[in-house]
Amino acid sequence: MCEKDIDEVLQTNTVFVNVSKGQVAKKEDLLKAFGTDDQTEICKMILTKGELQVSDKERHTQLEQMFRDIATIVAEKCVNPETKRPYTVILIERAMKDIHYSVKPNKSTKQQALEVIRQLKETMQIERAHMRLRFILPAKEGKKLKEKLKPLIKVIESEDFDEQLEIVCLIDPGCFREIDELIRCETKGKGSLEVLSLKDVEEGDEKFE
Protein backbone atom coordinates (compact mmCIF):
# COMPACT_ATOMS: atom_id res chain seq x y z
CA MET A 1 0.00 0.00 0.00
CA CYS A 2 1.57 3.31 -1.02
CA GLU A 3 1.40 6.65 0.87
CA LYS A 4 -1.20 8.02 -1.54
CA ASP A 5 -3.51 5.04 -0.99
CA ILE A 6 -3.34 5.28 2.78
CA ASP A 7 -4.28 8.97 2.75
CA GLU A 8 -7.43 8.07 0.84
CA VAL A 9 -8.36 5.40 3.38
CA LEU A 10 -7.58 7.18 6.67
CA GLN A 11 -8.94 10.37 8.18
CA THR A 12 -5.67 10.80 10.09
CA ASN A 13 -2.34 8.98 10.42
CA THR A 14 -2.33 9.55 14.18
CA VAL A 15 -2.59 6.41 16.32
CA PHE A 16 -4.96 6.74 19.29
CA VAL A 17 -5.31 4.74 22.47
CA ASN A 18 -8.90 5.97 22.78
CA VAL A 19 -10.20 7.89 19.77
CA SER A 20 -13.50 8.97 21.37
CA LYS A 21 -11.55 10.63 24.24
CA GLY A 22 -8.85 11.92 21.89
CA GLN A 23 -6.04 10.07 23.72
CA VAL A 24 -3.03 9.79 21.42
CA ALA A 25 -0.69 6.79 21.82
CA LYS A 26 2.69 7.54 23.44
CA LYS A 27 5.94 6.86 21.60
CA GLU A 28 7.05 4.16 24.09
CA ASP A 29 3.66 2.40 23.81
CA LEU A 30 3.96 2.32 20.01
CA LEU A 31 7.49 0.90 20.18
CA LYS A 32 6.35 -1.75 22.67
CA ALA A 33 3.29 -2.79 20.66
CA PHE A 34 4.55 -2.42 17.07
CA GLY A 35 8.35 -2.31 17.27
CA THR A 36 8.35 1.11 15.58
CA ASP A 37 7.04 4.61 16.24
CA ASP A 38 6.53 5.39 12.52
CA GLN A 39 2.78 6.17 12.56
CA THR A 40 2.30 5.61 8.81
CA GLU A 41 3.89 2.15 9.07
CA ILE A 42 1.77 1.37 12.13
CA CYS A 43 -1.38 2.43 10.23
CA LYS A 44 -0.45 0.02 7.44
CA MET A 45 -0.01 -2.80 9.99
CA ILE A 46 -3.40 -2.04 11.56
CA LEU A 47 -5.07 -1.97 8.14
CA THR A 48 -3.57 -5.29 7.01
CA LYS A 49 -3.62 -7.25 10.29
CA GLY A 50 -6.04 -5.46 12.62
CA GLU A 51 -9.66 -6.36 13.33
CA LEU A 52 -12.58 -4.03 12.70
CA GLN A 53 -14.13 -2.99 15.98
CA VAL A 54 -17.89 -2.73 15.78
CA SER A 55 -19.81 -0.88 18.49
CA ASP A 56 -22.66 -2.57 20.37
CA LYS A 57 -25.15 -0.26 18.66
CA GLU A 58 -23.75 -1.11 15.18
CA ARG A 59 -23.79 -4.83 15.99
CA HIS A 60 -27.40 -4.60 17.21
CA THR A 61 -28.45 -2.76 14.02
CA GLN A 62 -26.61 -5.35 11.90
CA LEU A 63 -28.37 -8.26 13.67
CA GLU A 64 -31.77 -6.55 13.35
CA GLN A 65 -31.21 -6.13 9.61
CA MET A 66 -30.17 -9.78 9.25
CA PHE A 67 -33.28 -10.84 11.22
CA ARG A 68 -35.46 -8.83 8.81
CA ASP A 69 -33.62 -10.22 5.75
CA ILE A 70 -34.12 -13.82 6.95
CA ALA A 71 -37.84 -13.20 7.52
CA THR A 72 -38.11 -11.66 4.04
CA ILE A 73 -36.51 -14.72 2.38
CA VAL A 74 -38.83 -17.08 4.30
CA ALA A 75 -41.90 -15.02 3.32
CA GLU A 76 -40.81 -14.95 -0.32
CA LYS A 77 -40.34 -18.72 -0.56
CA CYS A 78 -43.08 -20.17 1.66
CA VAL A 79 -46.85 -20.50 1.85
CA ASN A 80 -49.53 -21.61 4.24
CA PRO A 81 -50.44 -25.02 2.68
CA GLU A 82 -54.01 -24.76 4.01
CA THR A 83 -54.88 -21.37 2.53
CA LYS A 84 -52.38 -21.64 -0.40
CA ARG A 85 -51.39 -18.06 0.32
CA PRO A 86 -48.03 -16.49 1.20
CA TYR A 87 -47.22 -15.14 4.63
CA THR A 88 -46.33 -11.49 5.24
CA VAL A 89 -42.82 -10.58 6.42
CA ILE A 90 -44.28 -9.11 9.65
CA LEU A 91 -46.03 -12.40 10.46
CA ILE A 92 -42.82 -14.38 9.85
CA GLU A 93 -40.84 -11.94 12.04
CA ARG A 94 -43.40 -12.43 14.82
CA ALA A 95 -43.20 -16.23 14.46
CA MET A 96 -39.37 -16.06 14.60
CA LYS A 97 -39.59 -14.07 17.83
CA ASP A 98 -42.07 -16.60 19.25
CA ILE A 99 -39.57 -19.44 18.72
CA HIS A 100 -36.80 -17.15 20.08
CA TYR A 101 -34.72 -17.47 16.92
CA SER A 102 -31.24 -16.07 17.47
CA VAL A 103 -29.43 -14.65 14.41
CA LYS A 104 -25.96 -16.07 13.72
CA PRO A 105 -23.84 -13.21 12.29
CA ASN A 106 -21.26 -15.61 10.77
CA LYS A 107 -23.85 -17.58 8.72
CA SER A 108 -25.51 -16.33 5.54
CA THR A 109 -29.14 -15.17 5.67
CA LYS A 110 -30.09 -17.83 3.08
CA GLN A 111 -28.63 -20.66 5.19
CA GLN A 112 -30.44 -19.29 8.23
CA ALA A 113 -33.73 -18.95 6.32
CA LEU A 114 -33.64 -22.72 5.66
CA GLU A 115 -33.05 -23.33 9.38
CA VAL A 116 -35.93 -20.99 10.30
CA ILE A 117 -38.32 -22.83 7.94
CA ARG A 118 -37.38 -26.15 9.59
CA GLN A 119 -38.01 -24.72 13.07
CA LEU A 120 -41.26 -22.94 12.14
CA LYS A 121 -42.70 -26.18 10.73
CA GLU A 122 -42.89 -27.43 14.33
CA THR A 123 -45.19 -24.58 15.40
CA MET A 124 -47.14 -23.44 12.31
CA GLN A 125 -48.45 -24.49 8.88
CA ILE A 126 -45.61 -23.51 6.55
CA GLU A 127 -44.11 -25.14 3.46
CA ARG A 128 -41.58 -24.22 0.83
CA ALA A 129 -43.49 -24.23 -2.41
CA HIS A 130 -44.04 -22.59 -5.76
CA MET A 131 -47.54 -21.32 -6.48
CA ARG A 132 -49.15 -22.51 -9.71
CA LEU A 133 -51.24 -19.65 -11.11
CA ARG A 134 -53.52 -19.14 -14.05
CA PHE A 135 -54.06 -15.63 -15.26
CA ILE A 136 -56.31 -14.49 -18.08
CA LEU A 137 -55.50 -11.15 -19.65
CA PRO A 138 -57.46 -9.11 -22.21
CA ALA A 139 -55.87 -9.34 -25.71
CA LYS A 140 -55.26 -5.59 -25.84
CA GLU A 141 -53.07 -5.46 -22.71
CA GLY A 142 -51.92 -9.10 -22.83
CA LYS A 143 -48.60 -8.94 -24.69
CA LYS A 144 -47.43 -5.73 -23.01
CA LEU A 145 -48.39 -6.99 -19.55
CA LYS A 146 -46.74 -10.37 -20.14
CA GLU A 147 -43.37 -8.58 -20.55
CA LYS A 148 -43.87 -6.85 -17.18
CA LEU A 149 -44.85 -10.14 -15.52
CA LYS A 150 -41.97 -12.20 -16.99
CA PRO A 151 -39.33 -11.21 -14.36
CA LEU A 152 -41.75 -12.34 -11.60
CA ILE A 153 -42.45 -15.77 -13.15
CA LYS A 154 -40.22 -18.81 -12.53
CA VAL A 155 -41.66 -21.15 -15.19
CA ILE A 156 -44.37 -20.68 -17.82
CA GLU A 157 -46.09 -24.09 -18.08
CA SER A 158 -48.60 -23.21 -20.78
CA GLU A 159 -49.63 -20.22 -22.83
CA ASP A 160 -52.71 -19.81 -25.00
CA PHE A 161 -53.42 -16.67 -27.00
CA ASP A 162 -56.79 -16.44 -28.72
CA GLU A 163 -59.24 -13.68 -27.94
CA GLN A 164 -57.40 -13.32 -24.66
CA LEU A 165 -54.06 -14.42 -23.23
CA GLU A 166 -54.17 -17.33 -20.78
CA ILE A 167 -50.99 -18.29 -18.95
CA VAL A 168 -50.37 -21.08 -16.42
CA CYS A 169 -47.11 -20.59 -14.55
CA LEU A 170 -45.11 -21.20 -11.38
CA ILE A 171 -44.01 -18.34 -9.15
CA ASP A 172 -42.26 -17.79 -5.82
CA PRO A 173 -44.93 -16.95 -3.20
CA GLY A 174 -43.22 -13.62 -2.52
CA CYS A 175 -44.17 -12.39 -6.02
CA PHE A 176 -47.89 -13.12 -5.65
CA ARG A 177 -48.99 -9.70 -4.36
CA GLU A 178 -46.99 -7.81 -6.98
CA ILE A 179 -48.46 -9.96 -9.80
CA ASP A 180 -51.98 -9.55 -8.40
CA GLU A 181 -51.55 -5.77 -8.21
CA LEU A 182 -50.04 -5.53 -11.71
CA ILE A 183 -52.91 -7.48 -13.29
CA ARG A 184 -55.57 -5.49 -11.45
CA CYS A 185 -54.04 -2.09 -12.24
CA GLU A 186 -52.94 -2.71 -15.83
CA THR A 187 -56.19 -4.37 -16.93
CA LYS A 188 -58.40 -2.07 -14.80
CA GLY A 189 -60.01 -5.14 -13.23
CA LYS A 190 -60.65 -6.98 -16.52
CA GLY A 191 -57.89 -9.56 -16.01
CA SER A 192 -58.21 -12.49 -13.63
CA LEU A 193 -55.78 -14.37 -11.42
CA GLU A 194 -56.38 -17.80 -9.91
CA VAL A 195 -54.25 -20.00 -7.64
CA LEU A 196 -54.48 -23.51 -9.12
CA SER A 197 -52.25 -25.44 -6.72
CA LEU A 198 -48.97 -25.53 -4.86
CA LYS A 199 -45.91 -27.31 -6.20
CA ASP A 200 -43.72 -28.54 -3.37
CA VAL A 201 -40.07 -27.64 -3.45
CA GLU A 202 -38.06 -30.81 -2.95
CA GLU A 203 -36.87 -31.23 0.62
CA GLY A 204 -33.41 -32.06 -0.65
CA ASP A 205 -33.13 -28.74 -2.45
CA GLU A 206 -31.17 -27.06 0.28
CA LYS A 207 -30.29 -23.88 -1.57
CA PHE A 208 -32.10 -20.69 -2.41
CA GLU A 209 -31.44 -19.02 -5.74
Side-chain angles (χ1 to χ4, degrees):
M1 186 180 283
C2 67
E3 197 105 12
K4 187 182 171 208
D5 293 333
I6 211 164
D7 288 339
E8 286 174 5
V9 172
L10 301 175
Q11 289 179 317
T12 174
N13 281 24
T14 308
V15 179
F16 292 86
V17 174
N18 187 321
V19 71
S20 57
K21 292 180 182 176
Q23 293 176 345
V24 178
K26 294 175 184 170
K27 183 177 178 180
E28 55 267 31
D29 290 337
L30 293 176
L31 285 166
K32 191 177 173 183
F34 299 99
T36 177
D37 62 351
D38 183 329
Q39 304 229 358
T40 302
E41 283 305 310
I42 291 167
C43 286
K44 287 179 188 175
M45 286 185 210
I46 292 169
L47 284 171
T48 53
K49 296 176 185 175
E51 288 182 9
L52 179 67
Q53 290 189 328
V54 181
S55 71
D56 288 343
K57 189 180 176 185
E58 282 176 309
R59 191 177 290 107
H60 181 70
T61 305
Q62 197 177 13
L63 290 174
E64 271 190 342
Q65 185 57 54
M66 282 186 81
F67 189 89
R68 201 168 296 117
D69 289 346
I70 293 163
T72 302
I73 294 167
V74 174
E76 283 175 352
K77 302 290 182 184
C78 294
V79 291
N80 178 332
E82 287 184 350
T83 63
K84 298 181 183 175
R85 289 289 187 272
Y87 284 107
T88 62
V89 176
I90 292 167
L91 204 146
I92 296 295
E93 281 185 344
R94 199 178 300 141
M96 285 168 67
K97 284 171 186 168
D98 288 346
I99 63 168
H100 307 291
Y101 185 77
S102 180
V103 173
K104 299 162 189 71
N106 57 336
K107 281 183 81 175
S108 79
T109 50
K110 289 182 178 181
Q111 281 179 307
Q112 292 186 75
L114 285 166
E115 181 56 38
V116 166
I117 293 165
R118 278 193 284 270
Q119 290 186 29
L120 288 180
K121 278 181 179 180
E122 295 172 19
T123 59
M124 64 191 282
Q125 291 284 333
I126 188 167
E127 291 290 341
R128 277 187 69 191
H130 294 140
M131 297 174 79
R132 181 174 279 111
L133 306 181
R134 177 197 287 128
F135 35 83
I136 298 169
L137 313 172
K140 191 179 172 187
E141 295 92 351
K143 285 185 178 177
K144 186 180 166 189
L145 184 51
K146 182 190 162 188
E147 291 309 307
K148 289 187 180 180
L149 291 167
K150 256 185 180 176
L152 303 169
I153 296 171
K154 282 198 87 68
V155 180
I156 292 179
E157 293 189 328
S158 69
E159 190 175 339
D160 185 28
F161 193 81
D162 194 4
E163 289 178 10
Q164 48 195 10
L165 178 61
E166 182 180 322
I167 293 175
V168 175
C169 62
L170 294 174
I171 66 156
D172 273 331
C175 297
F176 178 76
R177 285 180 183 84
E178 196 175 340
I179 289 172
D180 187 32
E181 203 173 298
L182 254 176
I183 290 173
R184 274 190 291 108
C185 294
E186 296 282 333
T187 68
K188 296 180 174 61
K190 291 175 190 171
S192 68
L193 171 62
E194 181 189 355
V195 179
L196 297 177
S197 62
L198 299 177
K199 180 177 181 290
D200 291 342
V201 175
E202 292 302 315
E203 204 61 43
D205 179 14
E206 289 298 285
K207 291 178 183 172
F208 286 132
E209 290 172 16

